[in-house]
Amino acid sequence: MESKSSFERSIYRELFDFVSSDGKNIDVKCKLCPPTRKTYKTSANSTSNLKKHIETSHPSAVGKIQSLKRQAADASVDKSIEAKKSFTQTYIAIAIN
């Protein structure tokens, strides 16, 4: 099973369009830049270049990134709580029977 790149799992996919991949690197275009958007290259394993671009070229979007990070963290916590509840309910059902 092929693992997903950092970009595919990141909040930055909301701000960049995927263009291409050569395995180790991916090319993306910033959705916030003018129509003649430049293509940015970043490692498939890191989104730091994308973060730096947003921070330097679009500082007003940093708040949106922080909001997306909070939403992702909240969703992760919710999934963890649901998984623990499910495990506990299954364990109790097995123990009773």
Side-chain angles (χ1 to χ4, degrees):
M1 181 174 144
E2 186 176 319
S3 65
K4 290 188 173 190
S5 72
S6 291
F7 177 75
E8 292 173 292
R9 296 185 312 267
S10 83
I11 57 168
Y12 294 100
R13 70 183 180 283
E14 301 290 331
L15 300 170
F16 292 87
D17 288 324
F18 177 83
V19 175
S20 65
S21 171
D22 68 4
K24 292 181 180 181
N25 297 304
I26 60 171
D27 294 333
V28 296
K29 287 192 175 189
C30 178
K31 293 178 181 179
L32 303 175
C33 285
T36 57
R37 301 179 294 175
K38 178 181 171 185
T39 300
Y40 296 92
K41 192 175 283 291
T42 190
S43 167
N45 298 323
S46 173
T47 56
S48 62
N49 287 356
L50 306 181
K51 178 183 176 189
K52 287 177 189 170
H53 170 72
I54 295 298
E55 289 174 345
T56 59
S57 299
H58 312 290
S60 63
V62 172
K64 177 176 175 123
I65 293 198
Q66 291 169 343
S67 174
L68 291 169
K69 283 182 180 181
R70 278 191 299 278
Q71 290 172 6
D74 290 347
S76 178
V77 168
D78 290 345
K79 284 181 184 179
S80 178
I81 290 170
E82 288 302 316
K84 287 177 184 176
K85 283 182 184 177
S86 177
F87 174 78
T88 302
Q89 290 169 346
T90 303
Y91 182 77
I92 290 170
I94 291 170
I96 293 173
N97 294 327

